[in-house]
Amino acid sequence: MINQSYVLARRKPFNERFGMFLWPYDHSGYNAVFFKKQLDAALDLGVGLISIGSRPDNANDDVGAIDGAFDMAQNAGMAVRTTLGAGAALNGDAVDYPNHIHDMDDWNKRYVQHLAGRNLIWDASNEANNPGFWYGKSSYYDHSLIKDWLSVDKVLYNYVRQYDPGSIFLNGDLYRGPYDLQKGQWADEWDVMVQDGLMSFGEAVSVHPYLEDSKTGYPHSPESLLQYMATPDNATLPLVVTEFSYNRSTMDVNQQANWLARAWFIFDYMQVPFVLHYGFWDEYQDDNGGYTIFDHDWNAYPAATSLKYWLHELKGYYFNQRISVGNDGADFVFDYVEDTEHKLIGWTSGADHQVTVDDTSYTITNAPQLLSTYTAATQLVTVDNIWHLKDTLNTDFGQIAQFTTDCLKKLKPVYPDLDVSAEGDSITATTLGREFRMQVIQGSQQSVELLERVATVIRRVGHQLQLVNVPIPRTLLLCKEDYNSMIAALTQNINLIEQFV
């Protein structure tokens, strides 16, 4: 059974968050040689997650046509996402789409039955909210169609739950990101989707937050993802990204490389559970080739070189904190950590200039750079201002989750079946009030429990370890010293654990 909690966990190492979209077909059908070439390149790149798209032309197509691709990928240790829905006809000639989709119900059912037990991530109909999905209509301006495609996706979900209950189902597979669909270029679509049941089934909602402006065609910067991927208040399921890229038709190869790397860092900073890059190999040499990171002859574009570098450089490293260096709108310095080893990554969306971190000056440019590597003991951040409470506690909760994972990894040789994943909820409330208070209490309690998990294993080894009591604040009407008392107790417990790990 697939580890749902880890696939959809927000906190994970940089290299385990990202994957690639591979295509198992040539113009004639499934091509094992072409797919093997893509798979080998993806493994060399350093990803552990891929998408394998299905392309049935009609309800009589063989549901086992691409079994070889699934076999190769899973034998190589890849986690795999695949798509359901209407298949290739979406992009073909004029089709009566609603009837065509319903005609495909039997194929989808047989496809799920055939692949059940493979621990797959199933995704819904590709971009059903796209204007081209419904022949002769645009769902952006006909809200009645939203219920139609949601009902189709609910049928797909029911097939997955009935025939492959241990797997993950992603609802949506939406064209564009949440901001565009709620407040941006297609305002109010999101709220109608939620009202009609978008959040009522599945384990997560998948989106394609391409940043090209619909009017000008030119892309927004990677940093705009902070706005365009912001989770709306009415999203009760996590959001994952199953397509994203930048097209070289609007930029040169070096800008594509820089902007893709910056986008990946922003996705990691936002803790999106996983992100699939769309456009791997330019197989067909068509308009979609502009998204790819390898050309038709398998020459690597700078984007492939850049992404490979970061996947290997930050293998096993978790995002720890963003360090403010003066201009938070343009300058980004991220601290990554593995155990006590830290790496500083920095870039700017403006002109090259120097920034200072801990009395050391660095030059940052439009391309993300490794600024420094250093060793430091785990140190929780104290509250310097009650209005910074959310950021401070989220940083500390993240560090405790990281510390827990690192400790459990060290203890795993003694207990091979030990689950080393550690996840804590972040404070997401934007205003002070009951929700904020409850999230503070929950996150604090989870941090206490994570450290106790480590202490329990240490006791199993035979050591005597007693953690100190942690006073959890249960009201917002406190001064910063009350929160710092909790942080001091958590720090003391970390120091006690470090004596045995």
Side-chain angles (χ1 to χ4, degrees), residues 28-44:
S28 302
Y30 172 56
N31 188 316
V33 174
F34 281 8
F35 184 80
K36 180 64 162 57
K37 187 95 172 180
Q38 295 173 72
L39 179 61
D40 289 345
L43 289 166
D44 180 66

Side-chain angles (χ1 to χ4, degrees), residues 167-480:
S167 60
I168 291 173
F169 183 87
L170 308 178
N171 188 12
D173 212 22
L174 300 174
Y175 179 68
R176 294 288 176 161
Y179 179 84
D180 269 337
L181 296 170
Q182 186 181 43
K183 301 176 181 177
Q185 295 168 343
W186 295 277
D188 84 2
E189 284 291 303
W190 178 273
D191 293 331
V192 176
M193 292 176 195
V194 173
Q195 179 182 327
D196 288 345
L198 179 68
M199 296 290 163
S200 67
F201 59 96
E203 283 66 56
V205 171
S206 54
V207 297
H208 302 168
Y210 291 105
L211 294 175
E212 289 91 348
D213 189 279
S214 66
K215 296 179 180 178
T216 67
Y218 288 98
H220 301 287
S221 72
E223 294 73 32
S224 67
L225 286 165
L226 293 168
Q227 176 186 34
Y228 282 79
M229 266 301 292
T231 303
D233 293 338
N234 55 1
T236 55
L237 293 175
L239 304 183
V240 299
V241 174
T242 49
E243 283 188 28
F244 181 82
S245 188
Y246 278 109
N247 196 309
R248 289 185 305 279
S249 64
T250 58
M251 60 184 63
D252 64 31
V253 294
N254 292 314
Q255 184 180 356
Q256 184 197 38
N258 293 341
W259 279 31
L260 278 175
R262 282 158 51 181
W264 278 27
F265 279 113
I266 295 296
F267 283 130
D268 199 46
Y269 172 56
M270 297 182 76
Q271 305 282 273
V272 177
F274 67 83
V275 178
L276 284 166
H277 172 86
Y278 179 79
F280 190 58
W281 168 48
D282 189 5
E283 176 182 358
Y284 295 135
Q285 297 180 291
D286 57 11
D287 292 342
N288 286 328
Y291 291 112
T292 62
I293 58 176
F294 289 95
D295 72 12
H296 184 73
D297 297 318
W298 283 103
N299 298 304
Y301 287 110
T305 304
S306 172
L307 297 180
K308 178 180 178 179
Y309 169 78
W310 290 117
L311 286 166
H312 288 265
E313 183 66 39
L314 294 177
K315 183 177 181 180
Y317 280 77
Y318 294 75
F319 173 83
N320 185 39
Q321 62 177 322
R322 180 182 178 186
I323 299 172
S324 178
V325 291
N327 183 358
D328 288 344
D331 298 343
F332 292 79
V333 176
F334 289 171
D335 176 36
Y336 278 81
V337 62
E338 181 190 29
D339 199 358
T340 59
E341 188 86 1
H342 292 252
K343 292 185 178 183
L344 287 185
I345 315 298
W347 78 89
T348 181
S349 60
D352 298 359
H353 63 279
Q354 286 197 325
V355 296
T356 301
V357 179
D358 292 335
D359 300 323
T360 301
S361 293
Y362 303 98
T363 298
I364 56 175
T365 70
N366 287 165
Q369 299 176 71
L370 175 62
L371 302 179
S372 74
T373 300
Y374 65 96
T375 300
T378 302
Q379 181 64 52
L380 300 184
V381 183
T382 56
V383 180
D384 61 352
N385 184 311
I386 204 68
W387 299 106
H388 296 162
L389 179 62
K390 176 180 176 179
D391 291 338
T392 299
L393 291 182
N394 278 342
T395 296
D396 288 342
F397 295 163
Q399 287 202 77
I400 290 171
Q402 170 64 45
F403 176 78
T404 300
T405 295
D406 291 339
C407 289
L408 293 175
K409 284 181 177 178
K410 292 177 181 178
L411 293 165
K412 192 172 178 64
V414 181
Y415 297 101
D417 295 332
L418 195 63
D419 179 9
V420 302
S421 62
E423 182 75 8
D425 293 333
S426 298
I427 301 170
T428 59
T430 56
T431 58
L432 297 178
R434 184 179 185 278
E435 181 184 12
F436 190 96
R437 177 172 65 86
M438 296 305 294
Q439 290 181 356
V440 169
I441 294 171
Q442 180 172 329
S444 302
Q445 185 63 44
Q446 286 174 337
S447 293
V448 172
E449 292 169 356
L450 287 175
L451 295 179
E452 181 57 35
R453 269 182 64 192
V454 180
T456 299
V457 180
I458 291 172
R459 295 185 198 111
R460 287 169 60 191
V461 174
H463 298 295
Q464 298 296 316
L465 172 60
Q466 184 64 44
L467 300 183
V468 303
N469 182 61
V470 178
I472 297 177
R474 298 190 178 275
T475 176
L476 291 174
L477 301 178
L478 295 170
C479 60
K480 64 182 182 182

Side-chain angles (χ1 to χ4, degrees), residues 59-215:
N60 297 318
D61 271 12
D62 179 10
V63 292
I66 56 175
D67 280 358
F70 288 103
D71 291 340
M72 278 190 272
Q74 294 188 307
N75 288 339
M78 288 286 189
V80 180
R81 170 256 192 187
T82 191
T83 52
L84 291 162
L90 292 180
N91 300 314
D93 296 328
V95 172
D96 181 355
Y97 288 110
N99 288 334
H100 171 74
I101 292 167
H102 289 294
D103 287 344
M104 291 300 295
D105 278 353
D106 181 63
W107 186 91
N108 283 307
K109 180 172 70 173
R110 290 187 293 111
Y111 189 56
V112 173
Q113 290 172 324
H114 180 74
L115 293 174
R118 281 185 176 265
N119 294 324
L120 297 176
I121 303 168
W122 298 95
D123 209 345
S125 304
N126 178 54
E127 296 187 348
N129 66 317
N130 189 308
F133 190 85
W134 303 98
Y135 175 57
K137 293 185 177 181
S138 168
S139 63
Y140 293 119
Y141 304 107
D142 186 347
H143 289 167
S144 66
L145 293 176
I146 293 175
K147 287 185 178 180
D148 288 341
W149 63 257
L150 277 172
S151 68
V152 170
D153 287 352
K154 183 63 180 293
V155 170
L156 302 178
Y157 167 76
N158 289 337
Y159 289 154
V160 170
R161 287 286 73 85
Q162 179 178 357
Y163 300 114
D164 198 16
S167 60
I168 291 173
F169 183 87
L170 308 178
N171 188 12
D173 212 22
L174 300 174
Y175 179 68
R176 294 288 176 161
Y179 179 84
D180 269 337
L181 296 170
Q182 186 181 43
K183 301 176 181 177
Q185 295 168 343
W186 295 277
D188 84 2
E189 284 291 303
W190 178 273
D191 293 331
V192 176
M193 292 176 195
V194 173
Q195 179 182 327
D196 288 345
L198 179 68
M199 296 290 163
S200 67
F201 59 96
E203 283 66 56
V205 171
S206 54
V207 297
H208 302 168
Y210 291 105
L211 294 175
E212 289 91 348
D213 189 279
S214 66
K215 296 179 180 178

